[in-house]
């Protein structure tokens, strides 16, 4: 396997550290590491999700792995085959995507795709117009436990999912953590959501998503939940799973590598845009108290 040289833009998320360790930290157990990708540099900056003190501490962790901190976007692009936009603040995703687009190198955007459906649609349009291979997905989507459930129930007729709801330092709570749960839903159910019915309470929110062929899937997201998982049903079979946090970063880094090499089943932003459409509808349904249409 040839090695992909990737630059990471953003250090306000623990994902940057986790992905870098999965590739570079030889002290990790074998089941937590991946081969075939290395990080050429990390470009860091302060956001509402990480202050200067936190960024400085993470920069030290990156340097301790033997990875340099780049001083500019251009420096980051210079030695990289591909770009990982690992920015926790989704309001910056469109801006930084536009900053790296001219390089023509494949781009992975960490979850959520953007902070609004409009910005997600703008990124999707730019990717299609430019021809730059772009994808965005949550690491939970390719966790081995979730993959095993989808293999056990390849034709999902209905499903229920659960996950965490938490308020981020900035932006909408309907996007930040719920994206993981909705990623699991979209991976199992596919595209084609037409409406969402969502109800929010003091402890969390519940939603039911309806698809154009009449199928339904539910998502229960609670402040008290610590895990993500679900149950898939179809073809007389059912499979339940809980995301394995022990391999979370390994699975995420491996899926990013496989996207860059072309061996992953996600090669554009259509799935990410569907996820954003569902999240946007959840937001609108919670605010209005009514069903929210999609599309």
């Amino acid at each position: 396997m040839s090695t992909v040289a990737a630059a990471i833009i953003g250090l306000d998320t623990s994902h940057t550290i986790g992905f870098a360790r999965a590739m570079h930290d030889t002290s990790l157990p074998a089941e937590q590491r991946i081969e075939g990708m290395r990080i050429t540099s990390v470009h860091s900056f302060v956001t509402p999700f990480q202050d200067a003190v936190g960024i400085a501490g993470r920069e030290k962790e990156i340097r301790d792995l033997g990875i340099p901190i780049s001083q500019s976007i251009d420096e980051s692009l210079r030695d990289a085959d591909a770009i990982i936009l690992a920015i926790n603040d989704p309001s910056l995703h469109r801006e930084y995507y536009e900053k790296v687009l001219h390089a023509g190198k494949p781009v992975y955007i960490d979850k959520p795709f953007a902070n609004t459906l409009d910005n997600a649609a703008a990124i999707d349009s730019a990717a299609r117009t430019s021809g730059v291979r772009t994808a965005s997905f949550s690491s939970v989507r390719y966790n081995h436990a979730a993959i095993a459930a989808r293999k056990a129930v390849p034709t999902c007729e209905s499903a229920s999912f659960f996950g965490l709801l938490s308020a981020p330092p900035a932006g909408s709570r309907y996007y930040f953590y719920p994206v993981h749960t909705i990623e699991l839903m979209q991976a199992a159910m596919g595209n084609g959501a037409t409406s969402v019915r969502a109800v929010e309470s003091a402890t969390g929110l519940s939603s039911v998503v309806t698809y154009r062929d009449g199928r339904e899937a539910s998502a229960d997201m609670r402040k008290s939940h610590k895990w993500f998982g679900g149950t898939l049903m179809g073809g007389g079979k059912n499979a339940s799973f809980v995301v394995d946090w022990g391999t979370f970063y390994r699975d995420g880094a491996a899926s990013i590598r496989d996207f860059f090499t072309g061996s992953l089943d996600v090669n554009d932003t259509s799935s990410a845009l569907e996820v954003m459409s569902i999240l946007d509808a959840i937001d609108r349904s919670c605010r209005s108290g009514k069903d929210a249409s999609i599309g």
Side-chain angles (χ1 to χ4, degrees):
M1 176 188 295
S2 60
T3 299
V4 177
I8 294 183
I9 310 296
L11 193 47
D12 65 338
T13 171
S14 61
H15 292 191
T16 297
I17 301 296
F19 293 156
R21 289 191 68 205
M23 301 172 217
H24 290 261
D25 190 348
T26 57
S27 70
L28 288 177
E31 65 271 14
Q32 295 181 19
R33 298 175 58 200
I34 70 160
E35 304 293 336
M37 186 162 65
R38 65 182 179 86
I39 302 304
T40 56
S41 66
V42 173
H43 183 57
S44 66
F45 41 87
V46 172
T47 77
F49 288 74
Q50 193 62 249
D51 61 19
V53 173
I55 290 292
R58 287 180 173 177
E59 285 183 347
K60 182 181 184 305
E61 290 187 71
I62 291 296
R63 289 191 178 101
D64 287 347
L65 291 170
I67 303 168
I69 302 296
S70 70
Q71 302 305 308
S72 68
I73 295 293
D74 287 343
E75 181 183 341
S76 297
L77 296 174
R78 192 175 304 140
D79 299 321
D81 304 320
I83 310 298
I84 298 172
L85 292 184
I87 306 171
N88 224 1
D89 187 347
S91 70
L92 299 176
H93 287 185
R94 180 178 177 181
E95 173 188 345
Y96 277 86
Y97 181 72
E98 291 171 350
K99 287 181 178 181
V100 303
L101 192 61
H102 71 277
K105 300 176 180 182
V107 181
Y108 165 77
I109 304 173
D110 206 353
K111 62 79 195 169
F113 190 20
N115 64 321
T116 67
L117 182 56
D118 284 346
N119 279 335
I123 296 173
D124 175 72
S125 177
R128 294 178 187 280
T129 300
S130 67
V132 170
R133 291 183 61 245
T134 304
S136 178
F137 47 79
S138 162
S139 294
V140 301
R141 184 187 190 97
Y142 293 104
N143 189 262
H144 66 89
I147 291 174
R150 294 198 295 270
K151 287 182 177 178
V153 185
T155 302
C156 195
E157 297 168 2
S158 64
S160 60
F161 302 90
F162 62 86
L164 171 65
L165 178 68
S166 179
S172 173
R173 66 186 178 279
Y174 298 109
Y175 288 72
F176 189 64
Y177 271 110
V179 66
H180 291 301
T181 309
I182 302 305
E183 279 271 350
L184 293 171
M185 178 186 291
Q186 195 280 330
M189 301 294 289
N191 287 348
T194 57
S195 66
V196 173
R197 181 169 64 256
V199 177
E200 188 172 15
S201 69
T203 59
L205 71 86
S206 297
S207 61
V208 176
V209 179
T210 300
Y211 289 79
R212 65 172 62 99
D213 57 6
R215 293 177 302 149
E216 288 187 340
S218 65
D220 183 68
M221 293 162 279
R222 299 284 146 190
K223 296 174 183 178
S224 59
H225 286 172
K226 304 298 183 184
W227 310 101
F228 296 90
T231 299
L232 315 185
M233 292 157 281
K237 302 176 182 179
N238 69 81
S240 297
F241 70 96
V242 176
V243 168
D244 180 359
W245 287 120
T247 62
F248 176 80
Y249 291 119
R250 190 281 309 275
D251 292 341
S255 62
I256 296 168
R257 175 201 63 199
D258 292 346
F259 162 65
F260 288 148
T261 60
S263 60
L264 192 68
D265 63 350
V266 172
N267 286 300
D268 61 29
T269 50
S270 60
S271 295
L273 199 57
E274 173 90 352
V275 169
M276 287 295 297
S277 296
I278 294 172
L279 292 170
D280 177 74
I282 288 173
D283 186 340
R284 288 185 284 114
S285 181
C286 284
R287 293 178 188 278
S288 69
K290 301 177 181 179
D291 288 13
S293 62
I294 296 175

